């Protein structure tokens, strides 16, 4: 059944897939051509941020913007356990990031400048991979939480309640980004390496996962 | 008993109760029409039946199980049709039917083709090119081909044309009469309802203000029409 969903998603979002695959493929020679691999990876991240995150509304089936997307009421009415549907949603959202993750896995072997960059950051290869995987996990679940929270907040009738909920939501995301930067900076300064950052990323990713699952299950 | 609501309330922070101590029961072969003003709680009531939300208090049972606890196997016997459901615009009708049928073990291709002919569903057409009514027709075909025991309908008749609406109501009545299927329909379109529904429930501001068999309701309404009596009750109860 998951394959059933993935096959349909692939057809529905084929243009997105083409853009992501072409962008990832173009990044490979460019990584070797420049001294600073940060730049192509930065551009690529932007591409992914748009083309891999924006299908989320359609995958979730947000009910407040259901014109020609499969709305969640339909998904939840199917005879499939809802926890399983949520697990499938993780996979359906995650597969868009596969070319990016694959590129992260092979980039250090394709480009000397990427190795130099990792050495400059004092990052081991395994740590770099963990950061990439956890980063995608955090981004996917942040995206799902954001969509589901937005849907819930737009349902609040009271304007003050809605306004307060928006402030709390936006504030919590700003705080979260700060929480991610802080261990990155302090970890380097105090010689702890990337582990505080990875720990923070993992904890936040899982926190979003559980919040998103709770919202998905309507609890 | 197909479904049972015992003193069910739904509360949301910052607003009056959406449903307030509602008691309802529907047996096999019943066709319950749920009527009420916009915002009366009709959709919330149906959402409870599908387990899209949990009741704040009270007990909901559908086919003997609490729907918010995710009894997923029993959903294979529930056909759900809602105005809230839309479909991907780049799919064809055939794509949607093929996608849908994979989830339902009792899905009948024979019934699908009979219903497709009856509702004039063009399977090759892209959904994005179709009108809302045509999309609803495809959803009706998909939902009823699963051979359901319960059909939950939320406001889909509003976008159907007069012929589509009549065919839909006739099909529901046939399912009810032939297979003992129970139908629960929330609607604002009263046309034809008195000929097809067996019971009527009126909701007002989340409260169940009236519930009776349709023949008794029509009898009590005389000499006024069915619609007029509904409007009077909703306005003055």
């Amino acid at each position: 059944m998951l394959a059933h969903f993935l096959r349909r998603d692939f057809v529905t979002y084929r243009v997105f897939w083409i853009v992501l695959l072409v962008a990832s493929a173009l990044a490979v020679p460019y990584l070797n051509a420049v001294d600073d691999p940060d730049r192509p990876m930065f551009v690529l991240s932007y591409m992914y941020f748009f083309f891999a995150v924006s299908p989320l509304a359609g995958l979730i089936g947000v009910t407040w913007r259901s014109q020609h997307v499969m709305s969640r009421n339909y998904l939840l009415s199917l005879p499939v356990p809802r926890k399983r549907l949520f697990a499938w949603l993780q996979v359906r959202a995650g597969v868009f990031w596969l070319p990016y993750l694959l590129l992260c896995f092979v980039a250090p072997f394709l480009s000397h400048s990427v190795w130099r960059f990792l050495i400059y950051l004092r990052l081991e290869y395994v740590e770099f991979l963990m950061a990439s995987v956890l980063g995608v996990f955090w981004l996917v679940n942040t995206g799902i939480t954001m969509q589901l929270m937005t849907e819930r907040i737009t349902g609040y009738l009271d304007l003050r309640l809605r306004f307060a909920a928006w402030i709390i939501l936006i504030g919590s995301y700003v705080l979260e980004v700060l929480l991610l930067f802080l261990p990155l900076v302090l970890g380097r300064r105090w010689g702890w390496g990337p582990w505080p950052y990875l720990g923070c990323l993992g904890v936040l990713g899982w926190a979003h996962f559980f919040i998103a699952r709770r919202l998905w299950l309507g609890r | 008993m197909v479904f049972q609501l015992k003193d069910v309330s739904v509360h949301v922070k910052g607003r009056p109760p959406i449903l307030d101590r509602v008691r309802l029961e529907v047996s096999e072969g019943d066709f319950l029409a749920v009527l009420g003003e916009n915002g009366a709680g009709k959709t919330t009531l149906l959402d409870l039946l599908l387990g899209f939300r949990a009741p704040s208090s009270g007990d909901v049972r559908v086919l003997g199980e609490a729907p918010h606890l995710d009894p997923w196997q029993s959903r294979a016997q529930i056909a759900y049709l809602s105005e809230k459901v839309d479909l991907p615009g780049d799919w064809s009708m055939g794509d949607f039917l093929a996608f849908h049928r994979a989830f339902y073990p009792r899905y009948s291709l024979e019934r699908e083709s009979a219903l497709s002919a009856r509702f004039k569903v063009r399977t090759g057409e892209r959904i994005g090119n179709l009108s809302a009514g045509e999309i609803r027709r495809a959803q009706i075909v998909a939902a009823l081909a699963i051979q359901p025991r319960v059909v939950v309908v939320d406001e889909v008749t509003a976008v159907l044309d007069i012929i589509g609406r009549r065919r839909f109501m006739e099909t529901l009545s046939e399912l009810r009469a032939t297979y003992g299927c129970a139908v629960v329909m929330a609607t604002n379109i009263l046309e034809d309802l008195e000929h097809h529904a067996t019971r009527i429930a009126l909701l007002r501001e989340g409260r169940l203000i009236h519930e009776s068999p349709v023949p008794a309701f029509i009898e009590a309404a005389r000499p006024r029409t069915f619609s007029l009596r509904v409007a009077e009750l909703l306005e003055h109860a």
Side-chain angles (χ1 to χ4, degrees):
Chain A
M1 282 301 169
L2 174 60
H4 194 51
F5 268 105
L6 290 174
R7 198 165 44 242
R8 286 308 328 169
D9 289 344
F10 188 73
V11 175
T12 302
Y13 298 104
R14 55 193 177 275
V15 176
F16 289 64
W17 269 107
I18 292 168
V19 171
L20 291 175
L21 288 171
V22 168
S24 306
L26 286 177
V28 175
Y30 197 60
L31 281 173
N32 266 322
V34 292
D35 285 336
D36 185 3
D38 210 10
R39 274 180 286 168
M41 289 309 272
F42 190 67
V43 173
L44 198 61
S45 300
Y46 263 100
M47 299 291 282
Y48 270 81
F49 204 73
F50 183 75
F51 288 98
V53 172
S54 55
L56 268 179
L59 300 182
I60 295 167
V62 285
T63 51
W64 50 273
R65 206 188 67 184
S66 64
Q67 183 67 21
H68 293 327
V69 298
M70 184 174 279
S71 56
R72 195 162 73 260
N73 281 20
Y74 173 77
L75 295 175
L76 296 180
S77 73
L78 292 171
V80 177
R82 286 170 183 164
K83 281 183 181 169
R84 194 182 301 166
L85 272 177
F86 184 74
W88 290 354
L89 176 67
Q90 295 282 319
V91 178
R92 293 169 67 204
V95 289
F96 285 94
W97 292 85
L98 278 181
Y100 177 82
L101 288 175
L102 187 68
L103 188 67
C104 289
F105 276 45
V106 299
F109 304 104
L110 295 175
S111 160
H112 288 298
S113 56
V114 174
W115 267 128
R116 280 201 301 275
F117 189 61
L118 293 186
I119 292 164
Y120 168 73
L121 290 175
R122 291 180 212 156
L123 268 180
E124 297 288 334
Y125 176 63
V126 175
E127 293 165 349
F128 172 64
L129 292 189
M130 280 180 70
S132 308
V133 172
L134 284 175
V136 167
F137 179 66
W138 174 73
L139 261 175
V140 164
N141 282 289
T142 306
I144 297 172
T145 318
M146 187 62 122
Q147 295 283 352
L148 293 175
M149 283 301 289
T150 304
E151 191 181 296
R152 180 170 278 207
I153 292 170
T154 50
Y156 293 167
L157 281 190
D158 187 272
L159 181 66
R160 279 176 304 181
L161 199 65
R162 208 161 58 232
F163 186 71
W166 278 121
I167 296 289
I168 292 168
L169 183 70
I170 294 164
S172 65
Y173 277 98
V174 172
L175 192 70
E176 196 169 317
V177 172
L178 286 175
L179 264 174
L180 282 175
F181 269 103
L182 205 63
L184 197 66
V185 175
L186 293 180
R188 283 192 69 186
R189 181 168 295 176
W190 293 338
W192 292 342
W195 293 104
Y197 170 71
L198 291 176
C200 218
L201 199 58
V203 167
L204 289 173
W206 280 109
H208 276 287
F209 175 89
F210 287 115
I211 293 169
R213 195 172 71 161
R214 199 178 164 82
L215 290 167
W216 176 267
L217 296 173
R219 288 173 191 162
Chain B
M1 199 62 63
V2 172
F3 83 70
Q4 209 169 19
L5 277 84
K6 279 187 194 162
D7 295 321
V8 168
S9 298
V10 174
H11 298 276
V12 172
K13 203 160 58 177
R15 58 188 283 184
I18 304 174
L19 286 178
D20 192 8
R21 287 163 291 162
V22 172
R23 290 178 81 92
L24 264 179
E25 285 182 352
V26 168
S27 307
E28 290 196 350
D30 269 351
F31 185 144
L32 175 73
V34 183
L35 308 174
E37 280 185 276
N38 297 329
K42 302 188 293 290
T43 296
T44 303
L45 190 135
L46 300 194
D47 284 356
L48 288 173
L49 300 183
L50 267 299
F52 296 155
R53 64 193 310 163
S56 309
S57 63
D59 188 39
V60 183
R61 297 277 149 180
V62 177
L63 299 171
E65 299 185 89
H68 66 281
L69 298 179
D70 197 17
W72 61 277
Q73 280 149 325
S74 71
R75 283 201 296 273
Q77 302 176 75
I78 303 175
Y80 173 61
L81 285 159
S82 167
E83 60 170 356
K84 280 187 187 171
V85 170
D86 207 339
L87 303 172
D90 66 330
W91 289 22
S92 71
M93 287 293 198
D95 289 338
F96 167 62
L97 292 173
F99 180 84
H100 185 79
R101 75 171 75 102
F103 293 97
Y104 292 90
R106 278 158 43 89
Y107 194 93
S108 160
L109 279 172
E110 200 181 325
R111 197 182 278 188
E112 181 197 290
S113 76
L115 288 165
S116 294
R118 179 179 255 190
F119 287 95
K120 295 185 178 161
V121 170
R122 292 170 288 161
T123 49
E125 200 72 51
R126 275 186 69 234
I127 288 169
N129 295 335
L130 298 172
S131 70
E134 287 175 302
I135 296 170
R136 289 288 171 263
R137 282 168 179 248
Q139 288 177 333
I140 290 168
V141 170
L144 301 186
I146 70 168
Q147 307 199 66
R149 274 183 69 195
V150 189
V151 183
V152 178
V153 187
D154 186 8
E155 282 296 3
V156 293
T157 49
V159 292
L160 291 175
D161 59 51
I162 188 163
I163 297 183
R165 199 147 58 216
R166 178 171 291 182
R167 283 190 184 148
F168 178 53
M169 297 300 271
E170 284 168 359
T171 308
L172 290 180
S173 285
E174 280 167 25
L175 279 176
R176 196 174 63 73
T178 317
Y179 303 103
C181 186
V183 180
V184 185
M185 178 191 276
T187 184
N188 292 317
I189 310 284
L190 303 189
E191 189 187 296
D192 284 347
L193 214 52
E194 61 192 282
H195 306 301
H196 296 283
T198 57
R199 285 170 56 217
I200 180 172
L202 302 184
L203 282 176
R204 188 178 179 203
E205 292 171 0
R207 283 181 301 110
L208 184 70
I209 56 165
H210 180 91
E211 201 234 328
S212 67
V214 168
F217 184 82
I218 292 170
E219 195 56 44
R222 284 182 209 284
R224 288 154 297 181
T225 60
F226 179 80
S227 320
L228 194 61
R229 180 66 183 144
V230 169
E232 273 178 5
L233 277 171
L234 289 178
E235 207 156 13
H236 303 298

